[in-house]
Amino acid sequence: MTDRDFAPLSVACVRALIDKQYDKRKAAASEIEKMVKEFVSVNNTLQIRKILKVLGLEFTMSQNPHYKKGGLMGLASVAIALGKDSSDYTEALIRPILTNFSDSDPRTRYFACEALYNVVKVARGAVLPYFSDIFTGLSKLAAENDHNVKSASEHLDRLMKDIVTENATFDLIGFMPLLRERLYSKNTFARQYIISWVSVLDAVPDIHLILFLPEILDGLFLMLSDPNVNNMCESVLSEFLRSINRDPSQVDFTQMINVLITHSQTTDETIQITALSWINDFIHLSGEKMLPYTSGILTAILPCLAFESESKKSIRDTAKSVNASLMELITSNLDEYENSEQTKDLDLSCMLDVIQKQLLHTSVHTKVASLKWIYHLHARIPKRVLSHVDSVFPALLHVLSDHSDEVVQHVLNVLAQIISPESQESTESKTRSPYFDKFLVSLLKLFRDDRQLLEDRGSFIIRQLCALMSAEDIYKRTADVLRGEEDVKFAHVMVDTLNTILLTSSELFHLRNQLKNKENETLFKCLYETWCHNPVATIALCLLTQNYAHVCELIVILQNYEVTVEFLAEIDRLVQLIESPIFIYLRLELVQVPYNFYLIQAMYGLLMLLPQSEAFHLLRHRLECIPKLHFFYHTRNGNNENVPLANKNISGNNYSVDFGQLVKHFVNLQDLHKQRKIIDRTEAMSLRTRLIDSI
């Protein structure tokens, strides 16, 4: 080793600098510090740069760990000697030190941290051009296992934070790509380091980190899943949200909302509740700017309404709040001003697609919320929604089969709104909506294809429809559709269902009163022509409308047809209904002379149709309450000479329709049912024969 090898360092200085003993290296470093101070005093920059070059290349880049340690201590001494002039030599000072941050020897890494700390301490703001490199080095050391190295790196980190905080020239734009990248680190310690820097930068008044929040928001939310940094991250995000609420004008909500939508669909509860809370605030703060993102927000919040566990209550409640806030954005203005920017931003087709998918969810709460959305959209922007009804209709019909009464009730609310006259673009005429007929045809097809649905929910569905809309319109149009029904067995069952509802449901009170009014012959005939598919229902309809003489005719006609167990069961139910409050007027008429003649005859006709069952005795006991004198009144007054003209009831029927034509129609339909039974039995016998032959 010669003087020329490391000039201007002496051989003795070099030997001490690379010595194993720390004290000797420290003495050598002091000698270098003294030498550099002399060079500074005479402005000998050449010699200073020579020393830096020797220390940077020959020592810190050496494979020998002692050379590295000595070189690092020497560089720190040079920086201390230079003082404020170190800013002219920052690159020569910093680069060699940073190289040793990743050295395999922890002692070397420790000395590198110590050396850079001394350089930064004297150079201060002059090191900021190299901030990204220093930050990268420190972020790697954040995961350091060696206690001494970790402690030294933390000291250096605190110093760097102080410098950034006090310096207005910090290049935040240049730093953001690096910060964004480091946010995705998987190491807990590295995450803690990154979050601490985000917190520090956000706290600096002159550094408007919130402007760059869209770039780092995703990474911050991902860190919420780490229990070791969860609290730190929550604190940082809370502060950002407070800043947003304080001054929304400086925030670009649209650049962040998709990040929030994505994270609000995660399985991590902390991330999910935080994202939903942010979305809720975004809607309140930015209003209509959120309209283009409604479909994404709905995708996130509707499934959350299904949460029932106590642990997810806050998520569910926040999702409800978001849902309510989002609904408020949908106003009638979006329909009135079809070409407005807000209207263009609302992708209704995409929204309805999301809602329809959620109708398939297993949760009642999610399905109800989805149905409320369709109702709300139709109420607020009917013109726009009507153009999508054809795609929504099948989904709504499907939901009618849902097991929940609440869901069915809401889907009926939606359907009633869509098919009501007010749903049309021109509401002045109040003509029936084209979807009214389409719906009833589809509903009957649904009942035809799914008899279990008809049995379990048919009555509930029809009753609710009658409560929501005109019962007369529902019954008239249903009768029209059933009149041409080819499946006569289904028509029989459907009429039985409609008739039972008519005679028992409080929702049909007004319709029953209409039918009792002789001015409503059109309604009576419309129902009668369809009710003939079911003879007992036809009798009940005529009893309800007080056409008692015609009931007597029908009972006589029925003796020509097969009396089945099903038929007797229906007669039995009719007798039970006669004892109900609905038919109290009929029971009172049994004691009115002479108008009770055909009614009594009809009641005895029903009695004779029944076997001596419980219903038989029930009706017999009722008829026994009638004074016997009344049975002879008609015979004694057959010519009606003593009856005041105003009190005569010549026909025995309330209506003056052509009952002869109605009888023909009744007989034709009974013949059709008779033929269908023969065909069904023939086919059944043929099938049994084929099965026997195959065995």
Side-chain angles (χ1 to χ4, degrees), residues 593-633:
V593 181
Y595 306 110
N596 62 355
F597 176 78
Y598 289 107
L599 173 57
I600 293 173
Q601 184 177 345
M603 292 296 99
Y604 271 100
L606 289 176
L607 189 67
M608 294 304 104
L609 288 175
L610 285 167
Q612 294 192 32
S613 60
E614 183 180 341
F616 172 88
H617 293 295
L618 185 66
L619 183 56
R620 179 173 64 82
H621 289 151
R622 173 64 67 181
L623 293 173
E624 286 175 353
C625 296
I626 304 171
K628 302 301 181 189
L629 179 64
H630 290 203
F631 290 122
F632 304 103
Y633 186 94

Side-chain angles (χ1 to χ4, degrees), residues 361-372:
H361 201 281
T362 56
S363 167
V364 169
H365 300 296
T366 296
K367 284 184 280 196
V368 167
S370 301
L371 291 166
K372 285 182 177 179

Side-chain angles (χ1 to χ4, degrees), residues 20 48 198 226 291 344 394 437 526 532 594 603 631 634 647:
K20 293 180 181 180
I48 294 172
V198 173
D226 188 336
L291 283 175
K344 293 175 183 177
D437 289 352
C526 177
C532 286
M603 292 296 99
F631 290 122
H634 187 272
N647 292 331

Side-chain angles (χ1 to χ4, degrees), residues 389-515:
V389 167
D390 287 331
S391 64
V392 175
F393 227 76
L396 293 174
L397 289 171
H398 176 77
V399 181
L400 281 175
S401 304
D402 195 85
H403 68 279
S404 166
D405 284 351
E406 185 181 4
V407 171
V408 175
Q409 176 68 66
H410 278 88
V411 76
L412 289 172
N413 289 343
V414 175
L415 287 166
Q417 187 187 56
I418 291 174
I419 66 180
S420 65
E422 288 77 10
S423 71
Q424 301 173 85
E425 291 189 17
S426 176
T427 58
E428 295 179 1
S429 62
K430 297 293 189 249
T431 57
R432 194 160 64 200
S433 164
Y435 292 102
F436 182 88
D437 289 352
K438 182 178 180 179
F439 165 67
L440 288 179
V441 169
S442 300
L443 179 62
L444 291 176
K445 182 180 184 304
L446 193 62
F447 287 151
R448 186 190 307 111
D449 296 340
D450 188 350
R451 298 296 173 86
Q452 193 62 45
L453 174 65
L454 174 59
E455 182 179 336
D456 295 342
R457 313 302 291 278
S459 178
F460 175 76
I461 291 172
I462 294 168
R463 281 171 46 220
Q464 295 303 314
L465 282 173
C466 291
L468 292 166
M469 303 180 63
S470 165
E472 180 180 354
D473 287 347
I474 294 290
Y475 265 71
K476 269 186 177 181
R477 184 55 189 136
T478 303
D480 289 341
V481 176
L482 285 173
R483 193 176 298 123
E485 178 60 54
E486 295 181 359
D487 186 344
V488 294
K489 188 173 182 179
F490 167 68
H492 177 98
V493 175
M494 194 67 223
V495 167
D496 181 53
T497 302
L498 290 166
N499 184 65
T500 301
I501 298 169
L502 176 63
L503 297 179
T504 61
S505 175
S506 59
E507 290 86 353
L508 277 294
F509 175 80
H510 181 66
L511 184 60
R512 287 194 295 271
N513 285 342
Q514 282 184 284
L515 285 167

Side-chain angles (χ1 to χ4, degrees), residues 90 94-95 124-134 169-171:
T90 47
I94 290 174
R95 293 295 183 195
R124 306 298 290 183
V127 304
L128 288 179
Y130 309 95
F131 176 80
S132 294
D133 295 323
I134 297 172
T169 62
F170 177 69
D171 183 13

